[in-house]
Amino acid sequence: MKCIKFISPAIFIAIVISCKSEKQELTHPLIWFDAPAKTWTEALPIGNGRLGAMVFGNTSVERIQVNEESLWGGSKINNNNPKAFEFLPEIREKILSGNIQEAKIMADQYLNGTPYKLHSYQVLADIIFHYSDTTNEISQYRRELNLGTGIVNVSFNRGGNAIKYEIFSSAPDDVIVILMESKKPGGLDMDIQMVRGKDAEIKVADNSIELIGQIVDEENPDLGPGGEHMKFYARLVPLKYNGNISAEGDKLLLKDGTRAILLFNAATDYSIHDLNYDRAIDPKKKCNDAIANARMKSYDYLRKNHIADHAELFHRIEFKLTDYDTLGSMPTNKRLERFRRGEEDPGLITTYFQFGRYLLMGSSRRPAQLPANLQGIWNKDLWAPWGSDYHVNINLQMNYWPAEVCNLSETVEPLIDFVEAITIPGAVTAREMYGANGWTMHHTTDVFGKTGVIDGVYWGMFPLGGAWMTFPVWRHFEFTNDTNYLRERAYPIIKGSAEFIQTFLVHDHDGHLVTVPSYSPENSYIDPVTGKEFKLTYAPTMDIQIIREVLTNCRKASEILGVDQEFSKDLQNLMDSLPPVRIGSDGTIMEWIKEYKEYEPGHRHISHLLGLHPGTQITEETPDFMKAAGKTLSRRLKYGGGHTGWSRAWIINFYARLQDGNEAYRHLRLLLEKSTLPNLFDTHPPFQIDGNFGGTAGIAEMLLQSQNGIIHVLPALPDVWLKGSIKGLKARGNFEVDMEWEGGELKQLEILSMNGAPAVIIYEWKRVETSTKKGERLIFDHDLKRIN
């Protein structure tokens, strides 16, 4: 802003307000629209980890679609094929001998889950507000989500009357709170109802709307037994209204008031501890207890309590790519359209980054008991795309890539609970299907913890899905240095996975220890014997890379804790017997153990680069593999790879690890241009939330990396980000990192040591090794010289 020497008080106030609003856009980024949502992917999300809602902002018939994290069809059953272990040796030998066609026929019959499909995560309900006055002209409309407060605001003028409302999902009070206000009486005249497509009775009682439900599943041999399954309950209660409330059928009628405060809550009888519904849990009581607690508090208290709790997490990171967001007055959807036309918008990038953090907070934090699923917690359907389930061949893992580095370590807690719980049915699967120790799961599961093969052998033959799920469990320790957590929770999970690997592997005809049967997630090769397309194989590259990560992490944990030294030695011997990861004749990393012809060379999964990201095996210390990884990416992209949102997000992370900032940024642009919906949700298509999380993680990865014991500052800064700053990123070893750069060069670096661990820091060719004290803040200049 230019200096103005002589100004009137009125002009001065206007300038101050203008500057404050610009700065607020940076510290409290907004997603906003100048029109109501016409589709679900234009609505704005709120969530407290357990309770979610999508706000449409319609001025005649408002819709607030609500979710409760655990509302699923289905029930807890053992879906392991009872014939698996009996026929496993024959299937293995056929695969190892190259008789894939016969092996596939047998695997379909004897390895496929029984049942082999999952029910879906379900929408809870829609809350519908029918305004009585729908004739007067609407003006001054605005609908916004303030990421810094976690509040959605809607405001408009109807025939000269100002109407506004705000809604938030409070984590500390575990309710959704709605405040509606009208400047004049009559503006809030409306009827309110709750609607659900099936399995629920909705009625008005005690001037509130309650929904009493129980999912009734039909008998289906592919899905499992039918019957009366999960129970659920929801209630909408007016906390205060200064007008008249009455009932008409299943509707509440509001009349003559100017201010209404509503509370909403929902609950099921699901328990993470049993991975099942628990009839000892009364969802009505659980729901109403939280409402009763909230009713004892004022609206101002509920709001302040929510904002304070939300801000403590959200404001740990501040990210700027510009001093002032000059496009803050432009609606988000129009900014996105402008970006798609090739314009730069650093404010949109930082908002997108923070939106990913916001979504993770909203779908995976206490009071949640479950991790974020394929749609977080936001789902409008009784039968969602892919069931909105837990895919563990990339998607659930990607959901948590930003958690630690983006200073939201608490969001991993529901995931750890889930993985811990699933080791119990996973141990049954390991034993019954493979005669193995430890625990396993395949490519997808549900809230009931099914760990057998789902969706058929063609899609689901991935016995190392559980092993990959140990990555975030280990990463949580790396970032926190919490040895009690490592001893009590992480190590048993990781050791159990290592025990499965140890007893699942068999020798191939070349003497290597290999996984069989398996696949390289969802990709196919051309069988040289039959000329047909198959997925079923042995020892795909991803498996070998997963095994090396898991066993290395297990050995590190053993050393830190001083336990199981002989077991650790056995794991090293096992790794020495694995087949090597190979570079093919075209210079790319081979996806399979043999150099098969690819059936779909532009496939969305790029599984054979797991060792580059999120793994730690392909680094500057392995230059041949770094070069081959770059060629692998180029080939994938040449044939159309990255065409889904989450795949494009993974590519950003790959290029960040390759330290190619410009290419990482190019794919970040493509993620927003091609795979981002108007409300900034990621699209597969359709909506799938993993791309949001992968995109946020990719931005963080461009700015800070800390794998393999090194804090690497600005490893992949693109040329277009000449100036910027970020505060609050986390590095392994429990360091908090602030940095500022200018002219594309580091200006200042601050590192806060949370545990007093030693630090190795790299920027460009400069390297510093230093000891630290707990709570010590280290400040460096652009040459990594200590200046404090």
Side-chain angles (χ1 to χ4, degrees):
M1 186 192 343
K2 294 181 179 179
C3 178
I4 301 175
K5 192 170 183 180
F6 301 105
I7 54 175
S8 71
I11 294 174
F12 176 78
I13 292 169
I15 290 171
V16 170
I17 292 171
S18 174
C19 291
K20 287 179 69 176
S21 67
E22 284 178 324
K23 290 183 178 180
Q24 182 159 335
E25 179 74 11
L26 295 170
T27 57
H28 290 255
L30 304 176
I31 298 173
W32 76 277
F33 298 84
D34 58 6
K38 294 179 180 178
T39 65
W40 190 82
T41 53
E42 294 177 355
L44 293 171
I46 58 169
N48 70 355
R50 187 184 73 84
L51 281 175
M54 296 290 287
V55 183
F56 284 68
N58 196 292
T59 59
S60 56
V61 182
E62 169 62 310
R63 173 189 176 193
I64 298 175
Q65 180 263 308
V66 288
N67 290 104
E68 200 281 342
E69 62 163 350
S70 63
L71 186 58
W72 270 74
S75 58
K76 184 177 182 179
I77 54 173
N78 180 328
N79 79 316
N80 301 317
N81 193 310
K83 297 285 188 178
F85 187 57
E86 177 184 350
F87 288 94
L88 179 64
E90 186 175 353
I91 293 169
R92 278 176 160 164
E93 181 53 35
K94 287 184 182 298
I95 293 172
L96 292 173
S97 299
N99 192 347
I100 305 299
Q101 184 163 289
E102 289 187 17
K104 174 65 164 55
I105 292 170
M106 291 188 67
D108 283 339
Q109 185 172 356
Y110 300 122
L111 297 182
N112 197 18
T114 53
Y116 74 100
K117 289 186 177 181
L118 301 176
H119 285 269
S120 178
Y121 176 52
Q122 294 191 5
V123 63
L124 174 63
D126 284 349
I127 306 172
I128 306 295
F129 300 78
H130 294 264
Y131 285 94
S132 298
D133 181 1
T134 60
T135 58
N136 282 306
E137 183 179 346
I138 301 296
S139 62
Q140 301 176 32
Y141 183 92
R142 185 179 176 98
R143 174 172 56 97
E144 69 175 35
L145 165 61
N146 187 319
L147 300 178
T149 62
I151 297 177
V152 168
N153 288 274
V154 179
S155 60
F156 54 92
N157 190 295
R158 190 198 309 274
N161 184 25
I163 297 170
K164 61 180 181 180
Y165 55 94
E166 62 180 30
I167 175 170
F168 57 89
S169 187
S170 168
D173 290 293
D174 201 13
V175 291
I176 289 175
V177 184
I178 306 168
L179 167 68
M180 309 185 81
E181 294 180 307
S182 170
K183 187 175 182 180
K184 301 175 183 178
L188 298 185
D189 287 5
M190 64 178 71
D191 62 71
I192 309 171
Q193 63 182 145
M194 220 184 308
V195 295
R196 191 175 199 273
K198 58 180 294 190
D199 297 338
E201 175 191 5
I202 299 170
K203 61 183 181 180
V204 172
D206 299 323
N207 275 345
S208 66
I209 306 174
E210 63 176 6
L211 179 153
I212 306 163
Q214 183 169 19
I215 293 176
V216 180
D217 292 313
E218 296 181 3
E219 192 74 30
N220 186 320
D222 294 341
L223 290 163
E228 297 179 343
H229 292 151
M230 190 177 292
K231 293 181 178 180
F232 57 101
Y233 177 87
R235 190 177 177 205
L236 180 71
V237 181
L239 176 63
K240 285 187 177 180
Y241 179 58
N242 61 356
N244 299 310
I245 302 179
S246 60
E248 185 179 283
D250 62 354
K251 299 177 182 178
L252 272 183
L253 277 61
L254 305 187
K255 191 171 178 60
D256 298 332
T258 57
R259 193 170 194 261
I261 303 169
L262 308 172
L263 302 177
F264 174 82
N265 197 15
T268 74
D269 60 357
Y270 176 80
S271 169
I272 184 67
H273 303 295
D274 301 316
L275 290 169
N276 201 5
Y277 40 79
D278 182 349
R279 295 304 186 224
I281 297 173
D282 180 355
K284 180 175 182 178
K285 182 179 186 303
K286 185 177 178 182
C287 174
N288 283 329
D289 283 352
I291 289 176
N293 181 63
R295 291 181 81 166
M296 297 171 64
K297 303 169 184 176
S298 69
Y299 176 79
D300 286 345
Y301 179 89
L302 292 170
R303 188 178 191 274
K304 288 177 182 177
N305 202 25
H306 160 73
I307 291 175
D309 175 80
H310 179 89
E312 197 283 319
L313 289 169
F314 185 84
H315 290 301
R316 290 175 183 174
I317 285 186
E318 293 182 11
F319 181 27
K320 297 179 182 180
L321 291 174
T322 178
D323 289 332
Y324 300 109
D325 188 355
T326 57
L327 297 175
S329 60
M330 181 182 294
T332 302
N333 57 324
K334 294 178 182 177
R335 292 179 74 163
L336 189 59
E337 292 169 5
R338 179 182 177 275
F339 194 78
R340 287 172 178 153
R341 294 194 298 268
E343 301 287 344
E344 293 297 335
D345 190 342
L348 183 62
I349 296 290
T350 55
T351 297
Y352 182 85
F353 171 84
Q354 294 284 28
F355 185 52
R357 297 180 66 245
Y358 171 87
L359 291 175
L360 189 56
M361 288 170 55
S363 59
S364 183
R365 59 164 305 198
R366 304 300 185 206
Q369 58 177 329
L370 286 164
N373 60 44
L374 279 177
Q375 296 184 186
I377 53 172
W378 297 279
N379 168 38
K380 63 181 174 60
D381 301 307
L382 289 167
W383 203 284
W386 298 281
S388 194
D389 63 20
Y390 297 107
H391 267 57
V392 296
N393 62 2
I394 178 66
N395 314 93
L396 182 55
Q397 290 91 337
M398 185 180 285
N399 282 3
Y400 288 88
W401 287 355
E404 304 290 354
V405 67
C406 291
N407 214 337
L408 295 174
S409 192
E410 295 91 336
T411 63
V412 184
E413 292 172 3
L415 178 71
I416 294 167
D417 288 350
F418 186 64
V419 175
E420 200 169 44
I422 219 162
T423 62
I424 298 173
V428 177
T429 294
R431 183 176 65 251
E432 291 184 352
M433 285 193 67
Y434 303 114
N437 299 330
W439 68 277
T440 191
M441 63 192 299
H442 292 84
H443 98 293
T444 194
T445 190
D446 59 8
V447 297
F448 303 110
K450 297 179 180 69
T451 50
V453 177
I454 299 294
D455 293 336
V457 167
Y458 183 81
W459 293 111
M461 193 67 249
F462 187 47
L464 292 192
W468 193 356
M469 282 310 306
T470 67
F471 285 27
V473 175
W474 169 252
R475 194 162 57 237
H476 187 63
F477 166 73
E478 286 188 294
F479 277 84
T480 62
N481 274 2
D482 184 343
T483 52
N484 287 330
Y485 158 77
L486 180 65
R487 180 181 298 105
E488 300 298 325
R489 304 194 69 187
Y491 184 62
I493 292 170
I494 297 168
K495 182 183 178 182
S497 182
E499 288 173 331
F500 170 73
I501 290 166
Q502 185 183 46
T503 51
F504 174 69
L505 297 179
V506 297
H507 285 97
D508 69 3
H509 295 168
D510 295 320
H512 292 120
L513 284 173
V514 297
T515 55
V516 58
S518 191
Y519 79 165
S520 186
E522 302 188 23
N523 201 7
S524 301
Y525 62 92
I526 302 298
D527 176 27
V529 176
T530 63
K532 295 180 179 179
E533 170 252 341
F534 287 104
K535 288 179 168 56
L536 193 64
T537 188
Y538 72 99
T541 294
M542 172 176 265
D543 279 8
I544 305 308
Q545 293 172 335
I546 288 174
I547 289 170
R548 289 193 179 279
E549 294 287 337
V550 173
L551 301 193
T552 298
N553 295 341
C554 191
R555 296 187 72 241
K556 287 179 180 177
S558 168
E559 181 179 356
I560 292 166
L561 297 174
V563 298
D564 296 329
Q565 284 87 356
E566 289 302 315
F567 178 64
S568 178
K569 291 178 183 177
D570 290 342
L571 297 185
Q572 182 59 58
N573 293 333
L574 186 156
M575 284 193 282
D576 292 341
S577 297
L578 292 171
V581 174
R582 298 183 174 98
I583 297 174
S585 59
D586 61 357
T588 68
I589 294 174
M590 289 168 50
E591 185 163 359
W592 295 278
I593 195 166
K594 296 181 180 179
E595 198 164 0
Y596 297 125
K597 181 180 179 182
E598 294 173 289
Y599 178 72
E600 189 182 342
H603 199 271
R604 59 196 174 276
H605 285 261
I606 315 175
S607 304
H608 44 317
L609 292 189
L610 177 137
L612 177 63
H613 184 279
T616 58
Q617 297 156 54
I618 300 174
T619 69
E620 290 177 288
E621 302 298 317
T622 60
D624 290 345
F625 281 98
M626 286 284 275
K627 182 179 179 181
K631 287 187 176 181
T632 304
L633 276 174
S634 296
R635 175 176 168 79
R636 212 40 143 220
L637 292 165
K638 175 183 175 181
Y639 289 97
H643 51 275
T644 68
W646 62 262
S647 180
R648 185 73 67 185
W650 200 0
I651 291 167
I652 299 167
N653 287 271
F654 285 143
Y655 277 114
R657 286 283 172 96
L658 291 173
Q659 299 177 31
D660 189 338
N662 289 335
E663 198 64 13
Y665 179 70
R666 185 171 78 86
H667 289 281
L668 176 60
R669 283 201 65 102
L670 288 169
L671 179 63
L672 270 77
E673 289 172 7
K674 295 187 174 184
S675 298
T676 299
L677 295 160
N679 64 357
L680 300 190
F681 271 171
D682 173 74
T683 182
H684 180 283
F687 163 55
Q688 203 167 284
I689 205 166
D690 42 17
N692 285 107
F693 297 139
T696 289
I699 293 169
E701 198 82 10
M702 293 163 72
L703 301 174
L704 180 70
Q705 297 176 26
S706 61
Q707 64 275 12
N708 297 322
I710 295 172
I711 300 172
H712 195 163
V713 179
L714 301 180
L717 186 70
D719 292 342
V720 72
W721 293 353
L722 282 173
K723 181 179 180 180
S725 65
I726 192 161
K727 298 179 180 180
L729 287 177
K730 291 294 293 291
R732 290 166 177 82
N734 204 3
F735 297 100
E736 193 169 285
V737 180
D738 303 348
M739 64 186 97
E740 182 180 358
W741 63 94
E742 194 170 305
E745 299 287 336
L746 179 67
K747 185 177 180 182
Q748 183 168 296
L749 169 70
E750 294 190 26
I751 296 179
L752 175 64
S753 176
M754 311 292 282
N755 278 100
V760 180
I761 307 159
I762 287 179
Y763 170 63
E764 294 179 335
W765 50 268
K766 303 149 194 163
R767 178 186 176 104
V768 170
E769 297 184 26
T770 181
S771 61
T772 73
K773 298 177 182 178
K774 184 177 180 180
E776 183 181 12
R777 184 174 293 275
L778 293 75
I779 305 176
F780 302 90
D781 67 11
H782 65 281
D783 289 321
L784 290 190
K785 292 180 180 177
R786 186 85 181 266
I787 57 175
N788 74 326

